[in-house]
Amino acid sequence: MKKRIFIGCIAAALLLLAVCIWCIPSGYSWVLESNWGISLPGQAHLTEVYEQDSGDSPHGDEIRYHVYDCDAPDAVLEMVDWSDEEPATNDFDSLSQAAEKWLDEIDVPQEQRPDTSVCVCWYDEQEDGSEIILFWNGGAGKLYLVESFL
């Protein structure tokens, strides 16, 4: 009897572990969720095609950049409240201006940058001054994420 209870407990624990692993967002989506409260929609079938960052910094400041190809644009459109208008950021007059400066700092080639004139955008900032900018080019099926951490 004790053996059956023990085996049942082990089986239940393994099942619970499997469910937890299945439900935890993977890859960069988990990072976005913990830092910004957003996640990459799994149903969008995003494939990362470019990544660049400024590397580790002793002060914690860092710039991260990711570009994704998307097979299901409707899922990306539901990801955040996209806007056609670019607000000012902490230090720049527009999201495009901020993104250009940050991408220059990490030497991102022009062919990997968004054409912001055909993109919708989304922006958020944290109390410490860290910022994130998303650009979505629905015509090309590309999602661009730029983060600046302070």
Side-chain angles (χ1 to χ4, degrees):
M1 183 69 162
K2 289 182 182 180
K3 188 175 183 180
R4 284 186 185 167
I5 292 173
F6 179 73
I7 291 173
C9 288
I10 295 294
L14 289 174
L15 181 62
L16 181 62
L17 179 63
V19 168
C20 288
I21 290 171
W22 180 266
C23 293
I24 293 174
S26 62
Y28 202 65
S29 190
W30 181 84
V31 174
L32 286 172
E33 179 69 36
S34 63
N35 288 333
W36 303 104
I38 62 171
S39 60
L40 299 174
Q43 63 272 31
H45 304 286
L46 297 169
T47 304
E48 187 173 62
V49 294
Y50 185 82
E51 174 187 6
Q52 180 75 317
D53 65 48
S54 57
D56 293 332
S57 166
H59 306 290
D61 54 336
E62 178 181 11
I63 296 172
R64 296 183 195 157
Y65 181 59
H66 298 266
V67 180
Y68 294 90
D69 277 339
C70 174
D71 289 340
D74 289 342
V76 173
L77 288 173
E78 296 174 10
M79 184 177 159
V80 294
D81 290 328
W82 297 102
S83 174
D84 290 327
E85 297 189 22
E86 294 187 28
T89 69
N90 291 334
D91 297 315
F92 300 96
D93 293 332
S94 71
L95 301 183
S96 298
Q97 190 181 62
E100 279 299 310
K101 173 71 170 132
W102 298 338
L103 298 180
D104 285 347
E105 287 182 30
I106 59 173
D107 298 320
V108 172
Q110 277 304 127
E111 63 271 10
Q112 294 298 336
R113 297 180 185 211
D115 177 357
T116 58
S117 68
V118 296
C119 292
V120 290
C121 56
W122 180 83
Y123 169 79
D124 197 11
E125 64 181 288
Q126 296 176 345
E127 288 181 18
D128 68 355
S130 296
E131 300 169 282
I132 185 171
I133 302 170
L134 305 182
F135 292 106
W136 168 242
N137 181 336
K142 289 206 181 283
L143 177 64
Y144 304 88
L145 293 87
V146 189
E147 296 172 279
S148 174
F149 290 97
L150 299 180

